[in-house]
Amino acid sequence: TQSTRPQRLLGAVQQNATRGDPRSVVKTIDQFCKHKEWAMNVGDEKGCILDSVVSELNPATVLELGTYCGYSTVRIASLLPPHARLITLEFNPHFAAVARQIIAWAGLQDKVLLVEGASGDWIPKMKEQFGVKTFDLVFLDHWKDRYLPDTKLMEECGLLRKGSVLLADNVVCPGTPDYLQYVRNSPRYNSQYFRSHLEYTKAEDGLEKSVFLG
Ligand SMILES: CCCNc1ncnc2c1ncn2[C@@H]1O[C@H](/C=C/CNC(=O)c2cc(-c3ccc(F)cc3)cc(O)c2O)[C@H](C)[C@H]1O
Ligand SMILES: [Mg+2]
């Protein structure tokens, strides 16, 4: 049977990256996407902005919406302090299976909880199922029309506290106009745009960092 792109990406990691070395996993995926097949990972340019936000925040509890192959999961988890936890939601079983193997190859499985299912179903269960009080950081990188409804859902479920940071990928390309309008005009957020480029291309894209004001 034909392999899928995520399976070919996993193969590249297993052949070229060093087990237990997150940086080599990240580098391998970026090389694969630059020279072999483009894939919708946040990539190295926006990834450096992601890294700086994570390092500056030093979060204890992180939520990622949209694992895909686990590239940003590995980037984030590799920067977390020992007892910090990253919960990442992926509703496609095939992508979840590939991501689990990539996260394990990087040696980060003890810091990451990959939950297979839809954000709309799992966000309301975060407290009771995983003992989450609030998230220090949320990385949004799933379907672009779900950023706004899921942000409102997180507010309603009391998962954000004063100072919680939302970091959203692709606010220019493919674009998340309703989400941007909301976080930039709501008095409950302080929003900042980090201009960059769409992964592995010269097209403009960027990350929006929005601090919840409570
Ligand atoms: C009800 C479901 C919601 N709840 C959900 N709950 C759990 N998991 C969810 C949910 N919704 C989606 N997912 C998962 O997240 C992933 C989806 C990721 C989506 N990402 C993009 O579409 C994108 C496109 C481009 C792009 C740019 C330019 C181009 F020309 C082409 C492509 C670039 C980028 O950086 C991009 O991140 C994964 C595929 C999908 O199974
Ligand atoms: Mg993205």
Side-chain angles (χ1 to χ4, degrees):
T1 57
Q2 283 300 317
S3 69
T4 64
R5 180 168 304 184
Q7 277 170 329
R8 293 192 291 275
L9 194 148
L10 171 61
V13 166
Q14 291 169 333
Q15 272 144 42
N16 302 292
T18 309
R19 267 186 185 283
D21 177 356
R23 300 316 304 169
S24 78
V25 168
V26 167
K27 187 162 180 46
T28 299
I29 294 173
D30 284 330
Q31 291 293 99
F32 180 85
C33 294
K34 276 178 200 146
H35 305 299
K36 296 275 187 335
E37 300 184 63
W38 187 92
M40 56 185 177
N41 315 120
V42 74
D44 203 39
E45 196 179 309
K46 288 185 290 178
C48 286
I49 300 167
L50 170 62
D51 291 354
S52 59
V53 170
V54 175
S55 305
E56 182 195 330
L57 205 55
N58 213 15
T61 315
V62 184
L63 175 65
E64 176 179 60
L65 301 178
T67 316
Y68 187 42
C69 295
Y71 174 91
S72 48
T73 320
V74 168
R75 281 197 90 113
I76 296 168
S78 69
L79 296 172
L80 295 181
H83 303 293
R85 283 290 166 277
L86 165 57
I87 297 175
T88 184
L89 301 184
E90 175 51 62
F91 78 166
N92 179 304
H94 174 62
F95 298 147
V98 167
R100 279 190 209 288
Q101 294 172 83
I102 288 180
I103 292 159
W105 197 269
L108 294 165
Q109 63 283 353
D110 296 342
K111 287 181 184 278
V112 175
L113 176 61
L114 194 161
V115 177
E116 209 171 303
S119 50
D121 300 335
W122 281 99
I123 285 170
K125 296 183 201 162
M126 282 294 153
K127 293 182 183 244
E128 68 185 282
Q129 293 286 327
F130 306 114
V132 169
K133 276 191 295 300
T134 54
F135 287 108
D136 304 312
L137 170 67
V138 182
F139 182 56
L140 299 95
D141 196 19
H142 58 332
W143 295 150
K144 308 313 161 194
D145 62 354
R146 305 297 303 180
Y147 284 24
L148 183 53
D150 283 346
T151 296
K152 290 181 170 174
L153 187 57
M154 286 187 284
E155 290 175 11
E156 285 153 21
C157 296
L159 287 166
L160 304 179
R161 49 127 177 115
K162 187 171 170 34
S164 290
V165 171
L166 304 184
L167 189 63
D169 190 27
N170 311 115
V171 296
V172 168
C173 178
T176 62
D178 59 343
Y179 172 80
L180 269 193
Q181 199 274 338
Y182 180 74
V183 289
R184 288 178 176 175
N185 295 290
S186 162
R188 305 183 76 185
Y189 290 92
N190 244 339
S191 217
Q192 183 184 0
Y193 176 59
F194 291 81
R195 182 171 180 189
S196 183
H197 294 94
L198 176 67
E199 49 267 27
Y200 319 117
T201 77
K202 293 186 168 37
E204 182 184 345
D205 188 21
L207 302 176
E208 188 82 1
K209 178 188 173 190
S210 307
V211 183
F212 188 62
L213 300 173

